[in-house]
Structure formats: structure tokens, C-alpha cells
Amino acid sequence: MNRTELERFCRNLDWNLLYTYLVVCEERGITKAAKRLLVTQPAITNALKRLETQFDCQLLDRNEREFTLTNAGNLLFEECLELHSGVTRMTEVLKGVREEVTGHVSVATASHAESPIIDTALVEFHRKYPKATLSMNVVTSGDGVTLVKRKSASCSLSIVNNPQPGLNYDVLYREKFGLYCGKDTPLFGRDDVTPEEIWAQPYVTFPTDEVTGEMSRFAEARKQFGYGKNPIGRSYHVEELRRMIEIGVGIGPIPKHVGQRFVDEGRLWELKCFDVSPVFEIVLVTNPRTRTNKAEKAFIRILKHAIKDIPIEERTYF
């Protein structure tokens, strides 16, 4: 057959006849095949005749009382077995394609957004959807919300002072900032530090630690404490800020649950007489109008399920 004839043959072939023939061969007879397929014996006989007509060859040896396949019948049976195997695999193959999550997730996050909830969500996301990709972009909380509103980020992990309409907000956890010093300062290791001693120290902080920034409530609290001097160092990245504090450039704020491990390692010291820090909420910000891909949907769903299952008291770090 040429290509045109083959295409015409495939188009005209009744593929149900092949399945009927496969069952006849497996059951080794027309009667048993009819019972399995819930049809009459004449229907099976008619199907076999049609199949032989389409292939223009004899498939069964009807001259013997026993069920016998001709050489052509054996070859067709083997091909039908392969076809059946391929068809049964189609469901699983297509199911895998449907369930496979690919795509990219862009998370805009404040540098100090650290929580076991976030870590666990990242691990679960990567384990369940290894072909999906993810980027964590450190920005200010305000910029994170703006990126989500502009649909330039899948979601953001931010401090939100003034919620904007049209966005969704889910509290991930609550935190407080402590005031810390490094081991090369005269305040290190002391529980009797006075406010006056703190006031005498240089200050490093986040750029948003000002009256107009996302940490405005912290700026107001430290000024009420009497510590309102201008910073000599700033960084959006908590690790860089921690470095400046640790090496003695100045004292500065770090979330208490982040700073505690450095205290335990003897690298930082919390100035506990500074006890006026407000409570901040780190919020998952999403845009319901964003057309999210499967990966974005999955990551956001994992985070939301995590906070749904954990009471807010267990998501409060201070």
C-alpha cells in the first residue's frame, strides 16, 4: 500500500473489531468471548467476518472443531496485544501529563521573612513538583505589594500597614524586632544595660525603619524610647544588617526569632531593656485577578493550607 491507501485503511478500519478479535483469541472461542463482551454469538461471528474482509485474509481455521488461528491470525493477535498494551498505558501517560505541574513562581519577599512555615512550604513544593521553578526576589515590603498588584510577582511575603483594595491578604506569622549589639561593643553580654547606654551607640537599620516606611511603627517606638538618632548604616538584607551589628558598626533591629540563633552562638546580644517593639505581621499577598500558572497555584495553595492548619498562636515568634 502507498501512503494514501494506508491512511484510507486506518480511517476506515473499525478499531472495535480489533478489540473483539483480541477477546476471542484470549477466551479461545466465540462463545466465551460473547459472554465476556455481553453480546450474541452471531454478533461476534459477524465482527470476525468483517475483520477478515478488511484485512483480506483468513484469521481462524474453521475446518477444525478446536479453536485454531491461522498464521495471519497469530500475527494479528500479537499486534492486537501490542495495541491493547499501548491503549491501556495512554490513561496513565495522559494522567501524568495532566497532573504534572510546571511553570515558574516569582516570590517577592522581605529579607527578614523567615519562618518554618515558609521553609516547609518550599520543601513540599519542590518535592511534589520538581519540574516547577521558583525565584525569591528580595524587595521592600511596599515594593512586594506593588509587584503583586502589577501582576509582576506571583505573590509577596511582606509587612502590610495599609492594605490596598483588590488584593488578598493572609497572615503567615507575627514577629517582633529586638535591638541587638555585637560582641565588640561594651553592651555585649550584659543584662543591666541602661537606655542611656543604648542612646550613646551608633545605629544601623533597614531603610524602611522610618516614619514613612513599612517599619514606621518601629521607628516611632524607638523614638519614644529616646533613641531617634540617624542611622550610620542601612541594608534591605537582614544578613548584611546582621553583619554590621555583629562586627560593631552599630546596634540595630533584627526579628527576635531570627536573631536568637546568633545569640545562642555568641555572636549577637539582645538589649532587652528595649521592650517597646510593636508586633508586625508577615502577610502572604496575592492578586485574585492574576492569571496564575499551575506552579503558582500550587505554591500559594501549599502556603495557605499550612497557615490554615496551624493556629496563629503557634505562628507568633517573640
Side-chain angles (χ1 to χ4, degrees), residues 108-163:
T109 177
S111 171
H112 56 81
E114 294 189 27
S115 165
I117 295 171
I118 300 172
D119 294 345
T120 301
L122 290 171
V123 171
E124 180 180 350
F125 177 74
H126 177 66
R127 177 177 56 81
K128 287 185 175 179
Y129 313 111
K131 292 190 176 181
T133 59
L134 183 145
S135 60
M136 305 289 287
N137 306 304
V138 176
V139 296
T140 67
S141 289
D143 287 344
V145 175
T146 299
L147 288 171
V148 172
K149 187 173 184 179
R150 292 177 180 173
K151 304 179 183 180
S152 299
S154 311
C155 61
S156 79
L157 314 177
S158 305
I159 294 174
V160 178
N161 292 330
N162 300 302

Side-chain angles (χ1 to χ4, degrees), residues 112-113 157-159 170-173 175 280-284:
H112 56 81
L157 314 177
S158 305
I159 294 174
D170 296 275
V171 177
L172 291 174
Y173 66 91
E175 67 180 6
F280 288 94
E281 292 181 339
I282 299 298
V283 178
L284 170 65

Side-chain angles (χ1 to χ4, degrees), residues 7-70:
E7 289 181 350
R8 185 184 301 115
F9 175 80
C10 291
R11 184 170 62 250
N12 295 332
L13 177 64
D14 186 346
W15 294 83
N16 288 322
L17 297 179
L18 295 176
Y19 182 69
T20 300
Y21 179 72
L22 174 66
V23 174
V24 170
C25 295
E26 288 179 337
E27 296 296 334
R28 306 296 297 174
I30 293 175
T31 302
K32 291 182 178 179
K35 290 181 179 179
R36 176 173 162 184
L37 294 173
L38 303 177
V39 297
T40 64
Q41 292 185 40
I44 296 291
T45 301
N46 183 55
L48 292 174
K49 289 180 179 179
R50 288 174 56 197
L51 194 60
E52 288 179 326
T53 299
Q54 289 193 327
F55 282 100
D56 193 24
C57 65
Q58 187 177 341
L59 301 174
L60 300 177
D61 189 351
R62 296 179 175 81
N63 295 324
E64 299 182 9
R65 299 179 65 179
E66 295 181 356
F67 182 86
T68 306
L69 298 177
T70 65

Side-chain angles (χ1 to χ4, degrees), residues 217-285:
R217 289 185 295 127
F218 184 86
E220 292 169 357
R222 64 179 173 83
K223 288 181 179 179
Q224 290 176 3
F225 180 74
Y227 192 57
K229 62 171 54 179
N230 293 327
I232 64 168
R234 293 185 175 91
S235 178
Y236 288 115
H237 294 259
V238 69
E239 275 301 301
E240 294 305 318
L241 184 60
R242 192 268 312 156
R243 184 211 302 267
M244 287 191 284
I245 297 170
E246 182 176 346
I247 63 177
V249 174
I251 64 174
I254 291 179
K256 289 193 174 188
H257 68 290
V258 176
Q260 184 58 48
R261 68 175 178 269
F262 296 100
V263 172
D264 294 341
E265 294 171 1
R267 299 165 63 182
L268 295 179
W269 184 258
E270 183 181 357
L271 305 171
K272 295 185 178 179
C273 69
F274 178 80
D275 57 359
V276 295
S277 180
V279 176
F280 288 94
E281 292 181 339
I282 299 298
V283 178
L284 170 65
V285 185

